[in-house]
Amino acid sequence: MGTCGVHGRTVAELTACAGAELRAGDSAAEQAGNVRILGVSEVHTEVRPGDLFVALQGRHHHGASKVAEAVAAGAGAVLTDAAGARSIGRDPGVPLLVAEHPRAVLGPLASLLNGHPSHHLPVFGVTGTNGKTTTAYILEAALRRLEQHPGLVSTPETVVGTQRGPSRMTTPSAPHVQDLLARMRAAGNRSAVMEVSSHALDQERVNGVRFDTVAFTNLTHEHLDYHGDMESYFHAKARLFTPEFAARAVIVVDDDAGWRLDRLARRRGLPTVTLGTRPGAAATWHLAGVEGADEFELHGPRGPMRLRAPLPGEHNRVNTALAALMLLGAGHPLQEVARALDGPVRVPGRMERVDLGPGWPTVLVDFAHTPDATAKSVSALRARTRGRLVVTASSGGDRDTSKRELTGRAVVESGADVVVVTDDNPRSEDPAAIRAAVMRGVDAAVQRLRAAGQPIPDVVEASTRRDAIRTALELTGPQDTVALYGKGHERWMEIGPPGARVPFVDSDEVRVAARQIGPRAASPAQAGPPPGRGGSGWSAAPVAP
Ligand SMILES: CC(=O)N[C@H]1[C@@H](OP(=O)(O)OP(=O)(O)OC[C@H]2O[C@@H](n3ccc(=O)[nH]c3=O)[C@H](O)[C@@H]2O)O[C@H](CO)[C@@H](O)[C@@H]1O[C@H](C)C(=O)N[C@@H](C)C(=O)N[C@H](CCC(=O)O)C(=O)O
Ligand SMILES: Nc1ncnc2c1ncn2[C@@H]1O[C@H](COP(=O)(O)OP(=O)(O)OP(=O)(O)O)[C@@H](O)[C@H]1O
Ligand SMILES: N[C@H](CCC[C@H](N)C(=O)O)C(=O)O
């Protein structure tokens, strides 16, 4: 990887940058120090001639076991840790750099080799359990309207110049991050928006990026398979909030983690502004609005701003407000920010409507795959659905198992009328076992509602997602809403061993199922089961409370 062209950097320069020790093996140290390195890679299959191969200890392998292949592919030098150096043993045939924490210096080295791209364009980083992608897209659209020509690094897509393409990861490896920023710079982007995942922070993938403004959305139950507990998860997120990474931060303080992060960031010397939606919260900015409406006001030190969220739900007002405060923090005038945020934004697979025409329910595809996201999304749709709200409940395999029951519980407690328990990406697990876990949460919540004398949803299990989609359409009419959760923008289903995928697109499946079911009568009076548990009627525009 790397785009520093034919010039590159010498091994001596990289050794100094990495704080490493240069072991020249059989070659003379001076000669080794003069070797020119053109790029950097941490995956042996991505090594290009003249690259520095950085051999890291991972969860499964030590990259040092791939040094011979990397050198055969043309690696000009190798950087590793003491354990890696021991396992390489004999002279690898190229200069060997040994550092205490090569992972920590991989990003800075990649930045150096790419001409420090983040020093030349403002980078906006968004982290938090839910809302990163949505906030990033809202911000990207606004920066475009402000003629800041943003690049984008996000879960669904990456934008370099004006080219949009699918992403493989939310936040890629350090060499890829720096390579993307360098390519953005070369392609004329004048700003960049980047989602920063907790995995990326834990694995130091954004080390070496200088962020202009970083933002925190929230911290709720997720990724405990990786982080172990919420405390470690918090500390992974908190890594981003230091003056070394960013010039300033915007922090949503609707949960305890937000307040705690604000205190921690300020103690570290990072200037912060806070955003609260709870009445009486001692935040810098407050979001005020009528429940269920997309319009809202933002009150704070620089006066009220009137804004409109481009997607429904309270959570999307927060995402919009966060984007506004990031832009204000970066120095854009208030009126311009308000204007730039006033317009449609398409966020792939987030509250995305699938238009089937008259006679059909409102169908939405949404990426809610955590308990909190599911609760927020179901509540938002409940408030806008005149008829019945039919939702899928599912969870991915080989991921946090403890969120499955909580997700099942969330759909019931947030007001769904019909819950269709089905599959997401089963990966290597037995899909029936995952559904059973989700169903336990659904059942427990139903029992609680029943005991409290409250209305309870109908519950169906569909052993394939295709069946679930068809069932949801068959059950619904034009007054109803169908929400398909979990897969959002994904264009595949992961089934079987790691990496195994079959094509599967929720919105395509909806259209196929509608065609199979056949035409629907256009009149709302003729179709659809009786009204559900409540709600005030779906509308693309906000429904009056
Ligand atoms: C759990 C996790 O994040 N794993 C990442 C991690 O894998 P690992 O620790 O198992 O790596 P490893 O296989 O032990 O290899 C160690 C080192 O040897 C190198 N190696 C390894 C094997 C080989 O044949 N050749 C080789 O060079 C590897 O490049 C690596 O540097 O390091 C790898 C190399 O950088 C990543 O590809 C891999 O991401 C995997 C694919 C992944 O699925 N990650 C997901 C969970 C992830 O990061 N998701 C977040 C979004 C989460 C969210 O917010 O929703 C994201 O930012 O995308
Ligand atoms: N601020 C928010 N708070 C809670 N839930 C949200 C928020 N914003 C969006 N959501 C819900 O979470 C889902 C995922 O949103 P989004 O993709 O923006 O988050 P993300 O942090 O990028 O998620 P991921 O890391 O899984 O890609 C949305 O489809 C929506 O249901
Ligand atoms: N980045 C998230 C995406 C989850 C998407 C959902 N469809 C699933 O498979 O669980 C993860 O890897 O946990």
Side-chain angles (χ1 to χ4, degrees), residues 35 39 50 79 82 93 194 201 268 271 419-420 448 464 484 497 520 523 534:
V35 170
L79 167 65
M194 190 187 300
L201 287 161
R268 290 169 171 173
V419 178
V420 186
R448 269 193 298 277
T464 69
L484 305 174
R520 279 280 170 92
S523 159

Side-chain angles (χ1 to χ4, degrees), residues 170 222-223 367 369 395-396 399 403 424-425 427 486-487 490:
T170 297
E222 174 65 322
H223 297 321
F367 199 47
H369 57 85
S395 212
R399 294 286 188 272
K403 72 176 178 179
D424 188 308
N425 292 310
R427 302 195 175 88
K487 293 189 55 59
E490 294 175 353

